[in-house]
Amino acid sequence: MPSKRSLVDEIKDRCNIVDVIGRSVALKKTGVNHKGLCPFHNEKTPSFIVSEDKQRFTCFGCGATGDVIEFVQRHYNLDFGGAIDKLAAEYGIDTQAYGYAGEGRKSKFFEINREAALFFFTAFQKKTNPGADYMEKRGLSQAVLRRFGIGYADDQWTSLTDHFAARGDDLKLLE
């Protein structure tokens, strides 16, 4: 079975950076490179260079640089795994053949993380606690605290684990 590194190599080999970036950035061929307006900051003069030979992009305005995976991560606001999944799906690469877990298991981890964030947010909102007192002294409004999902962890070591156990979640996934 191929390794995860092989999956990355396969994606980089099959995905032409000019084609991928060209879907969302108007590129103009200038010599051996392609040039366009950087999608990561506002500019009027193109400073975003894509090298087909090197399969890399560089913005001389904001300093952004990387390969096709890095571009997809930044442009679509994805993590590394999300970028791998997106590119593999677009180019018909079977990630299962490489033993790559993909979104299925990752989405369960996101669900657990979201539930943990909600647990701490609820603890912050419902109880009088030093964290809420501190935020009030700092002058942060309830709207700001809600917007950023500020939470509070009490001094009990097992509060979160107990919460997940009561829900019937697989505690092995928490590890």
Side-chain angles (χ1 to χ4, degrees), residues 85-101:
D85 289 335
K86 180 173 179 48
L87 289 168
E90 287 176 9
Y91 283 82
I93 300 169
D94 180 15
T95 59
Q96 299 300 319
Y98 291 89
Y100 182 71

Side-chain angles (χ1 to χ4, degrees), residues 14 40 47 53 67 92 132 135 147:
R14 300 245 316 255
F40 306 123
S47 63
D53 293 340
D67 59 14
M135 294 298 176
R147 180 170 181 233

Side-chain angles (χ1 to χ4, degrees), residues 107-154:
S107 64
K108 182 64 178 166
F109 290 131
F110 279 122
E111 181 185 321
I112 288 170
N113 191 39
R114 199 172 9 258
E115 180 62 30
L118 181 61
F119 173 80
F120 292 122
F121 177 77
T122 303
F124 183 81
Q125 296 294 318
K126 286 190 174 181
K127 300 176 185 173
T128 303
N129 58 68
D133 296 340
Y134 175 76
M135 294 298 176
E136 185 178 325
K137 287 177 189 170
R138 295 290 307 250
L140 295 170
S141 69
Q142 285 298 315
V144 168
L145 298 173
R146 275 192 305 277
R147 180 170 181 233
F148 289 99
I150 301 299
Y152 176 73
D154 62 25

Side-chain angles (χ1 to χ4, degrees), residues 28-64:
K28 181 179 178 185
K29 182 116 169 116
T30 56
V32 295
N33 294 321
H34 294 77
K35 195 174 198 178
L37 295 174
C38 181
F40 306 123
H41 75 282
N42 292 326
E43 65 180 3
K44 294 180 180 164
T45 305
S47 63
F48 188 75
I49 306 297
V50 181
S51 170
E52 192 165 17
D53 293 340
K54 296 178 184 174
Q55 290 292 301
R56 307 240 350 129
F57 72 88
T58 302
C59 176
F60 293 100
C62 70

